[in-house]
Amino acid sequence: MSHRQRFLGSRARSLAALVAGLLLLAGAPSAFPLSRDGASVAAGCVSTPVAYRAAWEAREVRCVAPSLFGTAYTRGQTSLYPSGFRYAWAGSSTNLEQYLKLRARYGDQPAKVGIGVLSYVGFPGLDDWSTPTDLEVYTLPAGVRAQVPAFETWFRLLDEEFGTTGAYPLEAQRDLVVAYSQLDRGEDVVGAFEEVTGCRRDALLAGEAPSAEIGCDRSFLGALAAAGPSPYDGGDSLTCFANFQTRYRGHRDASALRGALFQCQDAGFLNTGVGLGYNTYANPFVCRPAARQSVRERYTGREFILPSVPFTALPSHVTIPLDLGTPGRRGFLHTGYC
């Protein structure tokens, strides 16, 4: 999950294998149902949102049932994702376990906990992030499924939503997947985004918006224009994708498809396309500065997409306020947490 507008050689064989496995998982009819039989949860694991909050407050490290999900969101929001978004990004139970470890380890340094959660999720622009942010831990209504947000999953969902495959040609989907799955050693998903769209990595990481001035190519910018405003700017996902489908007149290549996902569903430049989180900041669990951490080490936990619903529609949920400390005083994002 990228939250991009909220600020906004030698092959890596092991990563490519991981990508392939995740794509196979995403291609299944569904990923994870919202509820699970409690008998299948290992004894001692946190299995309810209320129990998770109790473990958080007690600074306990516990295993977490796969029926629990977590989403970081702007304080005061009343749904999993801002109004207009069709889908919400959600962290898995494995992410929730890592957050408990952060809380246990750095409870006396709360900014490392709060900012660590946002970094693990995949927020950019955290050096100066000042928006009050909370973590919602929840279960989901019966029948709703969380899915692995591989690129193939997105295009299948869009084909199902609009009943056509013409807007997202298979060859363009293939080129997009290949660009992200065959990274040179040391190249990351920001590099893949630059390769596909032309938008310069350094400018994106500095917080600049996509434009021709930072190298973004015609297909990408044309897709953004055709799609219209993103849900962050008053639009909505369904209209945004429909606009791209009917109004875009350029070549429907990998760059254009990447632009539609970027504009309409918050799949920003940090999005991996394989169901793992990623950030260029220091991984909180690797005791080295960010510059000395490998690309592999900066991949984080598992992420999913699911329908964005109001909190009132969730069977069970709790809110955990995140203490973000003082903007501009987060050197650990670069020097490391430990």
Side-chain angles (χ1 to χ4, degrees):
M1 163 173 36
S2 304
H3 303 269
R4 49 96 178 169
Q5 285 185 316
R6 294 190 188 181
F7 55 75
L8 234 213
S10 172
R11 302 297 185 194
R13 295 182 178 85
S14 60
L15 177 59
L18 176 62
V19 169
L22 286 165
L23 289 174
L24 287 173
L25 176 60
S30 63
F32 292 93
L34 244 49
S35 59
R36 300 241 181 187
D37 182 353
S40 68
V41 178
C45 288
V46 170
S47 59
T48 67
V50 170
Y52 185 87
R53 182 169 58 190
W56 176 278
E57 291 173 350
R59 295 172 61 174
E60 294 177 345
V61 176
R62 303 274 299 278
C63 58
V64 176
S67 56
L68 296 188
F69 295 85
T71 295
Y73 66 98
T74 300
R75 186 167 299 158
Q77 201 170 289
T78 59
S79 58
L80 289 175
Y81 237 59
S83 175
F85 277 102
R86 179 70 164 175
Y87 293 94
W89 296 83
S92 67
S93 59
T94 55
N95 288 42
L96 292 173
E97 290 173 354
Q98 294 296 85
Y99 303 161
L100 290 179
K101 292 178 183 177
L102 271 176
R103 169 73 171 162
R105 185 179 299 181
Y106 298 115
D108 295 330
Q109 303 174 72
K112 286 187 176 181
V113 181
I115 292 296
V117 168
L118 300 189
S119 179
Y120 206 80
V121 168
F123 277 54
L126 290 177
D127 293 280
D128 299 311
W129 181 264
S130 60
T131 304
T133 307
D134 295 334
L135 173 68
E136 200 74 8
V137 179
Y138 53 91
T139 58
L140 295 179
V144 176
R145 295 182 180 276
Q147 302 191 67
V148 177
F151 291 126
E152 185 277 337
T153 302
W154 281 118
F155 297 123
R156 176 176 56 81
L157 289 172
L158 291 170
D159 286 347
E160 291 173 354
E161 193 76 51
F162 297 106
T164 177
T165 60
Y168 308 99
L170 180 59
E171 59 271 24
Q173 295 183 36
R174 176 203 63 204
D175 292 344
L176 181 58
V177 170
V178 168
Y180 275 75
S181 63
Q182 295 187 345
L183 304 179
D184 290 335
R185 185 175 298 278
E187 184 182 14
D188 66 1
V189 297
V190 188
F193 187 89
E194 180 178 31
E195 177 185 343
V196 169
T197 69
C199 305
R200 290 199 310 274
R201 172 196 182 91
D202 58 345
L204 293 169
L205 291 174
E208 295 190 41
S211 67
E213 286 68 29
I214 69 166
C216 301
D217 64 32
R218 180 177 298 179
S219 293
F220 182 77
L221 295 177
L224 301 189
S230 82
Y232 284 127
D233 297 321
D236 67 87
S237 294
L238 292 184
T239 300
C240 186
F241 282 121
N243 285 344
F244 171 76
Q245 178 176 319
T246 59
R247 297 179 181 177
Y248 180 68
R249 296 291 181 262
H251 182 44
R252 292 181 182 266
D253 55 13
S255 183
L257 269 57
R258 192 66 184 83
L261 292 175
F262 182 96
Q263 186 76 347
C264 302
Q265 195 46 66
D266 198 25
F269 60 83
L270 291 173
N271 180 247
T272 66
V274 298
L276 290 179
Y278 182 79
N279 217 321
T280 57
Y281 293 123
N283 186 319
F285 300 101
V286 179
C287 290
R288 289 193 300 278
R292 291 175 52 201
Q293 292 182 10
S294 68
V295 167
R296 183 187 182 97
E297 288 172 328
R298 291 199 292 268
Y299 281 86
T300 58
R302 300 164 67 200
E303 61 183 10
F304 298 98
I305 52 171
L306 40 85
S308 183
V309 297
F311 294 145
T312 54
L314 301 173
S316 180
H317 63 101
V318 298
T319 302
I320 298 176
L322 298 177
D323 187 336
L324 306 181
T326 304
R329 299 181 62 183
R330 299 164 183 160
F332 52 86
L333 285 167
H334 306 280
T335 61
Y337 285 66
C338 49

